[in-house]
Amino acid sequence: MNNFKNIGFGLLVLMGVSFSSCSEDFLDEDLTSQYATNYFDTPEGLVDLSQSLYGNIRWHFGFGWAHAITSLGCDEFTTGNDLTNEMWNTYDNRLGPVGATVATGAANNNATSPAALWDEMYFGIASANTIIEKADKVITDEAVRNRCLAHAYFLRGYNFYRLTAQYGGIVLQTKPITTVVRNFDRSTEEESWAQAISDLRNAYKYFAGEDFVYGKGITWTKATAAHFLAKALLFRSSERCAEWNSEYKDADLKEAIEATTYAINARGGKLTANYSDLYANWTGVDCPNEQLDEILMAAGFNSDAATAGRFGNQTGPSFTPQFSNFAGGWVIRGVWIGSMDFQACRPTEYTYSVFDHVNDARMWKTFKTVFGTNVVKDNTVGVKLGDPGIVMILNSKNDHTYDSYKFGCAATQNPNWKDDNGRLAEWTVGNRQTATAGNLTATKGQFVPSSLVLYQNGEYVAPTFGNTARCNFFAGINKTDDGSRNGERSNANRDVIMARLAETFLMRAECNVRLGRYSQAMADINVVRARAQWKNGENRSFYSDGSLAFKTNPLNTGAAAANYVNSNLEMNTYYLSNPQLAVTTAASDLTLKTFPANLPVEDEAILSKIGASSDYQRAMHFLLNERTRESLGEWDRWETLSRTGTLITRAKAFNPDATLITANKHEYRPIPQSFIDGLLNDDGTNLTADQKAAWQNSGY
C-alpha cells in the first residue's frame, strides 16, 4: 500500500473519549498531545483526515479479536490448544458484558473483550463525523469535497454496519463531540440499520467511480460502497430482522441486486482466474496480487516501521497448527515458514467435508498438508532434510484405504524411532516429482515423523491425535501466511482482504434465492464454482503459500535459506487423500446443473444432517456451504450465520465445543458493561439497575 499520513489520532482520542472504557483514569486524561483541531478547518486538513480513515480498519486485524469475533463459535472452526478466546467458541459465561480475564476464568489476559469492537468503531466514527460536518463549509472544489464525503460516509456506514451486526441496536452518534458526554440513547436495531444504509447510500452517491487512487488496491471506490450497501440491505431483509423488516424486504433486495450488479460490472464482471493468486501466491509487500481487480476492500499493511501505527497485522498465526510441537522437533518454526503456530482456530469436520475433495481446487490451494523436515532428530530412520516431516491426509468418510494404518504425532511415538514400532512403517511417501506426477507417491516404507488422517473405518479420528484433550494436530489454512516478516514473532506485512467480488456474486445469488429466483441464483453461483475447478494442465498436488515472500526477504541467507527450501516442499496430499485416483491434469467440473434440487453429494449430506428440506432452506444452506468453500477464514462467518438465522443450528450441528450456545441470546454480543456503567442520566445521576438492564441485550 501507499504510505498514508498518520493524521487525526489526537482528534480520535478527543472525540472518542466518551465511548471508550469509562475508567476514572481515562476520563481524567490530560489531552495535551492532540493536533490543533483548527487544521481540520482547512481543505488540506480534511483531505488528510479522510485518508487517515483507512487506518481505522486496520484495527480489525491487530490482535486475537480478529478471529474471536468473526470465526470462533461457528460451524467452520473450533479452538485448538490455544484457549485464549475459548469463551467465544463455547459461549460459556465468560463471554459476557464484563469480558474475560484470568480473574474471571480466562486462560490469560489476552482474551478478547466484547468492548473491543465497540470502542474502536466509535473512534473512526468520530473522525468521519468531523469530515461530514465541515466538508461543505471548508472545501470549495466539488471533486475533492465529494471524495472526502464519500470516504467519511463509507467509513461511518461500515462501522455502524459492524456494530449493528454484532450488537443490534447501538448508539448512533452522527455529530462531532467536543466535550465528554455520558448520556446517550440506544437506538433500535431498525434505526441502526437505517443509519448504516443511509451512510452507505451516501458513500455510493459521492464516490465518482473506480478511477480514484489513494492506495492502489486497498482504495475504497464506488464498487466498495456498492458491495457493503448491498450487504447492509441484505442484513435488514434477513431472518434476524424478521420481526420488523416486512416493509423493507422487497425494496431492499431489489436495491441490493442493483448495487451488487454495479460492483460486478465495475470490476469487469469476472473473478481472478486462479484462486491461488488471491492468497497463496503472495510474494511480498505490495506485490501485484494485492492489486487484483477482484479485491474491493483491504486493510493495508506494509513493512515500513514509520507507518506501523498502533496496530500491526497479527492475523498470521490464527489458523496454523502447532507444527513445531507435534512434529517432535523435526519441523521447527521460523520466519521461513509463513506463519507462527499459535493453533487458535482448528477446522471442524464440517469444514473438511464440505469440499468436493477431488474436483474443488480451492481445498488444495487453501489447506497446508505437508511440512518438510528441517531438523533431523534421528539419522537411523532414513529421514533426510527436505523429506516430508508432517503429512496430513484429508481423506473422505467412505475411504477405507487407511483403516489399518497407524498415525500420530512424533511426540507420542516410540522414543527409539524404530521402524517396527514407528507409526508410519506402512507408509507410502515419495519426494518431489515432475509437474505432472503426484508429489507424494508410493515409496513403500518411507518414514514420516508425524502423520494424520481424517477418517478410519468411517469414523472421524483426526481430533484424537496427540493424546491431548484438544488436538493441536490439524491442517491449517494459508490465507494469512507471510514470509516477509523480519523475525519469527514479527507481525505480518501483507494486506488483509476484507471484501472481494466472489462474495458479491454470492450475495446477489442470495438476493435471488430470497426472491425465489433460483435459476438466476444458480448462474451467479456457477461463476464462483467455475473458478474453483481444476483447469486443464494444472498439477493437482502442487501447493504454495505466502512463505514465497521469504525468497526476497533479506533474512534469506545461510541456515534460514536452507530451512526455507527444506520446509516448503510445494506439495500437498491430493493423491494420498484420493488414493483411488490416477495422476491427472485434466480439467474438473463443478457446474451446478439444477438448483436447489439434486445438489452435490457433500452438500446433500450436510443438508440432511441439519434437516434442510424446503427449496428455500436447501438453497440458503447451500449458499452457506459455498461461502465456506470460497471464503473460509475470511473474517465474516459469525455475522453471516447470525444474519441468516442459522448460527444456532449450524454451530450445534458442526462445532462440538459450542455446547452452550443459546437461541435468543447468542445471535447478539453483549453491550460492554464498562460503557453502561459510565452512563449518566440527563440530570447527572447514575443509571438505576433497571436502566442498566434495559441497555443490555437479552440473556446477558
Side-chain angles (χ1 to χ4, degrees), residues 369-387:
T369 57
V370 179
F371 293 75
T373 298
N374 53 30
V375 174
V376 174
K377 302 291 289 185
D378 186 329
N379 60 14
T380 68
V381 294
V383 177
K384 304 182 296 296
L385 290 173
D387 281 352

Side-chain angles (χ1 to χ4, degrees), residues 376-410:
V376 174
K377 302 291 289 185
D378 186 329
N379 60 14
T380 68
V381 294
V383 177
K384 304 182 296 296
L385 290 173
D387 281 352
I390 299 170
V391 171
M392 305 180 190
I393 295 179
L394 308 185
N395 64 335
S396 301
K397 188 172 185 176
N398 59 357
D399 172 51
H400 295 281
T401 304
Y402 305 105
D403 285 356
S404 62
Y405 281 47
K406 296 179 181 179
F407 297 87
C409 307

Side-chain angles (χ1 to χ4, degrees), residues 670-681:
I671 304 296
Q673 194 64 42
S674 56
F675 173 78
I676 296 175
D677 288 344
L679 293 171
L680 299 176
N681 291 308

